[in-house]
Amino acid sequence: MDIISIGTELETEMIGLDIGFSDTKYVSAGGMKKFPSAVAYAPETALDLGTFAEAQSYYQYKGQSYIIGEKAITDAISTRDISFLMRFSPLLVNYARQQVAFNTIAVGLPIGYYSKRIKFEEILSDFTVDNGHHKYKVHVMPQGIGVLYDYMYNDQAHLINNISNCII
C-alpha cells in the first residue's frame, strides 16, 4: 500500500475544498476548478455496454467499485443529505487529488451539520482508495466563514475590519 500524502517539505500545498451536493469546487495555488459531486456504483462486470473501455475510471473504496464525476452523473447516488458527504467525500477528495497535489485540506460543512465536524475531519484525514493510503491535515469550517474572513482580512492576512462588537 502506498502512502499518497503525508505532508513532506516538498509538498506543502493547501486546497480549499467545497464538497457540494451538486459540484465539488476547489481552489489551490494552481487556480480554481470544479467537477460534479456525482458518485455511482461501477458495473459488476466489464462487459456492460459502453463501460468496458472505462475500467481505469473505477475507484475502489471500502470493498466497492465506484465511478466519480462526469461519468457518474446518469446513475449517481443521491447527494441531498449529510450521509452522502460522510460516506463519499474521500472519493471526491481522491478525485481532486488526481488533478492537484495537496497535503492540507480546508473544507466547509453546512452550518446545520457542523456538529458532525469532528467525524468529518476524521473521515477526510485518513482513508484508503485504490490501495493508496491518504493522510491529510484537515480544517473543517462552517460554510460561509470565507465571506467573513474576506471581510475581516486583506490579501496579506492583516486584520482590516474588527468585528468584535458585531453579533453574528
Side-chain angles (χ1 to χ4, degrees):
M1 184 178 301
D2 296 327
I3 299 291
I4 302 297
S5 179
I6 292 184
T8 65
E9 290 180 32
L10 297 174
E11 183 184 338
T12 57
E13 183 84 25
M14 177 182 279
I15 186 172
L17 192 62
D18 177 4
I19 303 173
F21 292 123
S22 60
D23 288 311
T24 296
K25 289 82 60 186
Y26 64 89
V27 62
S28 69
M32 295 182 286
K33 292 190 179 179
K34 73 175 186 170
F35 58 89
S37 295
V39 176
Y41 294 107
E44 294 205 18
T45 70
L47 297 177
D48 289 354
L49 291 176
T51 60
F52 71 93
E54 297 176 348
Q56 71 277 6
S57 298
Y58 296 174
Y59 300 91
Q60 295 292 319
Y61 179 62
K62 294 190 175 185
Q64 179 71 45
S65 295
Y66 296 96
I67 303 169
I68 308 298
E70 198 72 41
K71 294 176 182 174
I73 290 176
T74 57
D75 297 317
I77 298 165
S78 175
T79 62
R80 296 292 172 211
D81 66 37
I82 191 66
S83 65
F84 174 84
L85 293 178
M86 301 301 273
R87 183 172 176 194
F88 297 114
S89 287
L91 282 167
L92 299 170
V93 168
N94 178 69
Y95 194 78
R97 178 73 164 101
Q98 293 176 338
Q99 300 171 44
V100 63
F102 55 87
N103 68 351
T104 303
I105 301 169
V107 62
L109 199 58
I111 292 174
Y113 301 123
Y114 197 62
S115 62
K116 299 180 182 294
R117 70 189 174 279
I118 294 170
K119 181 68 175 167
F120 193 56
E121 180 180 318
E122 290 170 358
I123 289 167
L124 294 181
S125 295
D126 191 350
F127 61 88
T128 300
V129 174
D130 288 335
N131 294 320
H133 189 189
H134 297 254
K135 293 181 74 89
Y136 300 105
K137 184 172 185 176
V138 178
H139 304 280
V140 180
M141 295 170 275
Q143 285 181 346
I145 199 75
V147 174
L148 177 62
Y149 285 168
D150 187 52
Y151 173 76
M152 291 176 55
Y153 297 95
N154 66 14
D155 292 341
Q156 290 76 41
H158 294 115
L159 183 66
I160 56 173
N161 290 305
N162 187 342
I163 62 162
S164 60
N165 295 324
C166 206
I167 298 174
I168 299 175

